[in-house]
Amino acid sequence: MFRGMWMKLEIQSVLIQFFCFCSALFLFFSFIFFVNSLNLMYRSFPSGEYTFIRIVVFSPITDLLLFYASSIFIFFFTFLDRVWIHRREWAFAFFFPLLLSLVTFAFQLFSIGKVLLAVSSLLCFFGIVTNPDSTFWWETSSRERFVNVIAYLSGIFVIIEIISLFFWFVNPFFGFEGFWRFLLEMSLVETHLFHIPYFLSPFLTFIFLFAWFLISFYQLVCRRINFHIHVFGRKFDVGKLEDLDLKFLFLGFLEKKRQSILVLFLSVLLSLVYGIYTYFPLFCGENFLIGVDTPHYIEYLEVMQAKDFHSAIAYSFYNLSDRWLSVSTLYAFSTIFNLSPFTVSQYCPMVLGPLLVLSTYFFMRKAGFSESLCVLAGLFLSFSSIYIMGLCFAFLSNMMAWIFLLIFSGFFVQTLVSSSRFSFVMASIALIAVLFMHVYTWSLVMFVLICFLGFLFIRKVRIIRSDVGLKYFSGIVVFNLVVEFVRQFLIGLGGFSARMVQGGAQAWLSPLFVLTFWESFSKSFIRDFLVNPFMLFLSFVGFLVLILDKRENNPSHLFLKFWVASPSVLYLFANDTARTRILYVLPFQILGAVGMLYLFFTMNCKFKGFFGKLFVFSVFLFFLLVNVNFGMRSASIISNANF
């Protein structure tokens, strides 16, 4: 008897999981068909043409058959649940759309029939999952049933991301026949799925840039955030972000030294893979340049190599003073290792990528964040816009300036926390290096620092142990302004770079640009192929965490707030070119890592049980893989673009 009961329970358990799988399959294809009906578009690179989102997983017929089969199984499980026999009014409400769909199919109105079938199946699905008197699915709450189904659904998206990532790794070595053709089709599915939230990019960018103002205004009116989000029956209190300490935001397995070093190494390796993937055609013997600014740097180095050392340095200082140190570094590198201007200029990003990863980790460690957050920020840098845009447009000076900006930020925060003289000296030197690497980046950083310093003086916020740290802060700003004054004096106001910088500032910033802000913003560079709506969403969540943090004794949090808030003010008065430069300086990779870890940490505390943990892990893995795939896809597009 016990054996028979045990077998019955086993069969019922298998049927429940099969129902969850069929429901996930039905929800997935219903979502696909719904998206296809919206006629969403995204802009392709480099043509700039708009492409319609049309998702076909296997084939149009196979997708329809799977949709119909999953719907039939949902109806089958509905009939197995005997409670419907005693609730005829519910049965009529659920199955009436099914009868209408059969009628429409008979009249060959297939689109309407498919919609009615989806409605009927969806009602049956919700009926089974939410029915507390279910005889088929017992001893589980409706919340647990939903999580069970959504875990399968998220697993489907993760599988697509994994297959797509596998395709990108084997794509350069195999053709597109047989199994490899299937991988190509899966990568196209992943590409279209990635671009579904593409139309939200301007909105996500806007709320990311101005969340500090909107939330501050709301708090001024309502005193405290009182806003809740409900996800599968779980309540998330946004107001409790005010009590969150990022030091306790971590992943257990990444807190161990060995695992964190391994992930950091993989992050460096991933940045190298992106570089290799971008320049793979050149490794195979193709003869063309990759990167918009690559010809300019080749020209700079050719002119410098035609001169003696002192004349070359003087040429770069007076004619390229806005990026003197970065170009001189490339010149020194090519001279010492006897490399051609083409080799240095073309493949330099492959060296800068790993350095950007390590410098991001350095800043996060100096800022006092958890080991998990430090490693995750380094990983996010490898597929961030900083590196991907650097590969596409050959922003060599920008990337070099970013490296020293992160080094400066680490020592700067350390100066505020400990009033260390050594950190003060290193921060000053690093910021001067940013000035001579790329003067535009330095200008934006100085604007952030001046706003931050003014805030500390006006509000008299004591985030430091003594006034020494504040004096060091003032010393860094004043010292850099003096160095810039001396630089301008040496090159002369008639110098080429000086005229270019001053002319650029006058052309890029104007109160008149505010009048056309949204029209220009919605059509700007942010909506091109480099836009990553998933990274924008995670960055917004991370910035939200920092904004709602009320502990004003944390200098790293305040510094990151001003790192975004200050340039957002300039963003209003800037044209498209200046907005691109402003967005490039923002720490998306850091805030994205904060948002990712916060979502995982919060969801992990809310969802219990095997399928709850599986759902949380699937969401974490999906966000990670969709960003890695974004980097691989972008590298492939860059390698085939005609610059």
Side-chain angles (χ1 to χ4, degrees):
M1 182 179 68
F2 290 106
R3 184 177 180 181
M5 291 179 61
W6 180 80
M7 287 292 296
K8 182 179 179 180
L9 291 174
E10 284 293 316
I11 294 173
Q12 188 170 359
S13 177
V14 172
L15 287 175
I16 289 173
Q17 298 308 317
F18 186 66
F19 166 77
C20 293
F21 173 74
C22 290
S23 300
L25 207 60
F26 162 75
L27 293 174
F28 174 74
F29 282 105
S30 298
F31 172 73
I32 295 301
F33 295 148
F34 175 72
V35 168
N36 289 342
S37 67
L38 295 178
N39 292 325
L40 298 175
M41 295 185 297
Y42 65 93
R43 189 156 55 186
S44 302
F45 181 85
S47 64
E49 298 178 353
Y50 282 92
T51 303
F52 282 99
I53 295 178
R54 290 288 183 270
I55 304 175
V56 178
V57 181
F58 300 105
S59 69
I61 296 178
T62 305
D63 291 356
L64 271 177
L65 289 176
L66 289 173
F67 170 75
Y68 290 141
S70 58
S71 300
I72 291 172
F73 278 116
I74 290 177
F75 293 134
F76 171 73
F77 283 109
T78 304
F79 283 112
L80 283 182
D81 200 346
R82 297 178 182 177
V83 73
W84 300 106
I85 299 176
H86 307 289
R87 302 179 66 179
R88 296 180 182 178
E89 67 282 1
W90 287 92
F92 176 78
F94 289 166
F95 292 116
F96 181 69
L98 175 62
L99 297 176
L100 291 179
S101 69
L102 295 176
V103 173
T104 54
F105 282 138
F107 286 98
Q108 297 185 354
L109 301 174
F110 297 109
S111 298
I112 300 176
K114 187 167 62 175
V115 173
L116 291 172
L117 180 64
V119 171
S120 180
S121 302
L122 193 62
L123 290 174
C124 291
F125 164 73
F126 280 110
I128 294 178
V129 172
T130 59
N131 184 11
D133 302 320
S134 175
T135 58
F136 172 68
W137 202 342
W138 50 280
E139 293 185 355
T140 54
S141 64
S142 59
R143 181 185 302 154
E144 293 172 321
R145 300 172 191 178
F146 269 118
V147 171
N148 199 332
V149 174
I150 299 302
Y152 278 101
L153 181 61
S154 58
I156 293 175
F157 285 99
V158 169
I159 290 172
I160 293 175
E161 294 294 333
I162 292 174
I163 295 175
S164 177
L165 185 60
F166 180 69
F167 164 78
W168 290 119
F169 277 108
V170 302
N171 177 39
F173 311 104
F174 298 95
F176 300 119
E177 301 297 330
F179 175 70
W180 310 114
R181 180 71 182 179
F182 169 74
L183 294 181
L184 172 63
E185 292 173 351
M186 285 295 103
S187 71
L188 293 176
V189 171
E190 193 277 335
T191 300
H192 286 292
L193 288 173
F194 173 85
H195 285 101
I196 289 174
Y198 176 84
F199 69 98
L200 295 174
S201 300
F203 174 73
L204 288 172
T205 308
F206 180 81
I207 62 174
F208 169 75
L209 289 172
F210 301 103
W212 62 274
F213 174 77
L214 299 175
I215 292 178
S216 299
F217 178 78
Y218 185 87
Q219 288 176 325
L220 182 65
V221 176
C222 301
R223 295 296 178 184
R224 177 179 172 84
I225 297 291
N226 187 21
F227 181 63
H228 303 90
I229 301 175
H230 293 269
V231 181
F232 307 124
R234 301 290 185 182
K235 184 173 72 172
F236 295 86
D237 188 357
V238 178
K240 289 184 178 179
L241 286 172
E242 299 179 4
D243 304 320
L244 178 67
D245 191 346
L246 293 184
K247 291 183 179 179
F248 300 102
L249 200 61
F250 61 89
L251 293 174
F253 70 95
L254 284 181
E255 289 300 309
K256 298 178 181 179
K257 199 66 177 178
R258 183 175 299 177
Q259 282 88 332
S260 65
I261 293 176
L262 176 62
V263 174
L264 186 63
F265 171 76
L266 292 176
S267 303
V268 171
L269 185 63
L270 184 61
S271 66
L272 285 173
V273 169
Y274 288 147
I276 294 172
Y277 209 96
T278 301
Y279 302 126
F280 191 79
L282 302 182
F283 298 146
C284 295
E286 298 288 342
N287 186 22
F288 59 90
L289 297 177
I290 295 177
V292 175
D293 286 352
T294 301
H296 302 301
Y297 283 99
I298 293 176
E299 180 183 354
Y300 299 154
L301 295 182
E302 287 176 346
V303 172
M304 294 177 71
Q305 286 188 350
K307 303 175 181 291
D308 60 85
F309 177 77
H310 296 288
S311 300
I313 298 299
Y315 164 80
S316 62
F317 184 78
Y318 287 102
N319 294 275
L320 304 169
S321 62
D322 60 322
R323 59 195 68 203
W324 166 69
L325 186 57
S326 56
V327 176
S328 297
T329 302
L330 296 176
Y331 167 71
F333 199 83
S334 64
T335 302
I336 294 173
F337 295 98
N338 195 25
L339 298 173
S340 67
F342 168 82
T343 302
V344 174
S345 302
Q346 185 66 87
Y347 301 115
C348 180
M350 293 183 61
V351 178
L352 299 179
L355 293 177
L356 281 166
V357 172
L358 296 176
S359 57
T360 300
Y361 177 81
F362 170 82
F363 163 65
M364 298 297 285
R365 289 296 296 167
K366 286 289 186 180
F369 294 106
S370 65
E371 182 70 18
S372 305
L373 199 51
C374 298
V375 172
L376 201 59
L379 177 61
F380 271 52
L381 186 282
S382 61
F383 42 71
S384 69
S385 59
I386 297 169
Y387 186 45
I388 301 300
M389 285 177 65
L391 290 171
C392 179
F393 299 100
F395 285 166
L396 307 186
S397 298
N398 304 61
M399 287 193 287
M400 291 183 187
W402 249 107
I403 293 171
F404 282 92
L405 170 58
L406 291 165
I407 294 173
F408 156 76
S409 301
F411 284 118
F412 170 68
V413 171
Q414 196 71 22
T415 301
L416 296 181
V417 173
S418 61
S419 301
S420 168
R421 184 174 299 176
F422 173 77
S423 298
F424 162 70
V425 173
M426 295 303 296
S428 301
I429 294 174
L431 191 56
I432 291 173
V434 174
L435 167 62
F436 288 104
M437 286 284 183
H438 196 245
V439 71
Y440 305 103
T441 302
W442 177 87
S443 301
L444 287 170
V445 175
M446 286 299 294
F447 181 73
V448 172
L449 292 178
I450 291 172
C451 291
F452 190 18
L453 183 61
F455 171 81
L456 296 183
F457 274 117
I458 294 173
R459 292 283 303 273
K460 297 182 179 179
V461 178
R462 300 306 182 200
I463 65 169
I464 49 181
R465 296 179 181 178
S466 66
D467 289 336
V468 177
L470 194 56
K471 292 178 181 177
Y472 281 155
F473 185 2
S474 304
I476 292 173
V477 173
V478 172
F479 185 52
N480 270 262
L481 291 175
V482 170
V483 172
E484 166 60 6
F485 176 78
V486 173
R487 186 186 74 93
Q488 288 286 352
F489 177 77
L490 291 176
I491 63 176
L493 295 179
F496 172 76
S497 296
R499 293 199 310 270
M500 186 173 62
V501 172
Q502 293 171 359
Q506 294 172 0
W508 294 344
L509 298 174
S510 172
L512 297 177
F513 290 131
V514 179
L515 302 177
T516 59
F517 170 75
W518 185 254
E519 179 184 358
S520 176
F521 178 69
S522 60
K523 300 177 181 178
S524 65
F525 177 84
I526 191 62
R527 298 200 64 185
D528 281 339
F529 87 105
L530 288 172
V531 66
N532 185 345
F534 295 93
M535 178 69 84
L536 286 173
F537 169 73
L538 292 175
S539 300
F540 167 69
V541 174
F543 192 37
L544 188 66
V545 171
L546 292 176
I547 293 172
L548 295 178
D549 178 26
K550 293 302 180 183
R551 283 176 293 275
E552 294 184 339
N553 60 342
N554 193 320
S556 58
H557 290 197
L558 276 176
F559 177 57
L560 284 173
K561 291 178 189 178
F562 274 87
W563 197 338
V564 176
S566 301
S568 67
V569 177
L570 291 178
Y571 199 90
L572 286 171
F573 304 97
N575 63 3
D576 290 345
T577 303
R579 285 171 186 164
T580 301
R581 293 187 179 275
I582 291 172
L583 291 176
Y584 190 78
V585 175
L586 299 181
F588 285 105
Q589 79 281 12
I590 296 172
L591 298 174
V594 173
M596 177 87 155
L597 201 54
Y598 169 75
L599 288 178
F600 178 82
F601 185 81
T602 306
M603 293 176 65
N604 196 48
C605 295
K606 294 289 184 180
F607 294 97
K608 306 297 181 182
F610 173 77
F611 284 99
K613 299 302 181 184
L614 181 62
F615 167 63
V616 174
F617 177 73
S618 299
V619 172
F620 179 85
L621 195 59
F622 171 77
F623 273 109
L624 186 61
L625 291 174
V626 78
N627 280 288
V628 176
N629 272 303
F630 164 76
M632 296 297 291
R633 180 171 55 254
S634 300
S636 176
I637 292 172
I638 296 168
S639 66
N640 293 289
N642 184 11
F643 293 99

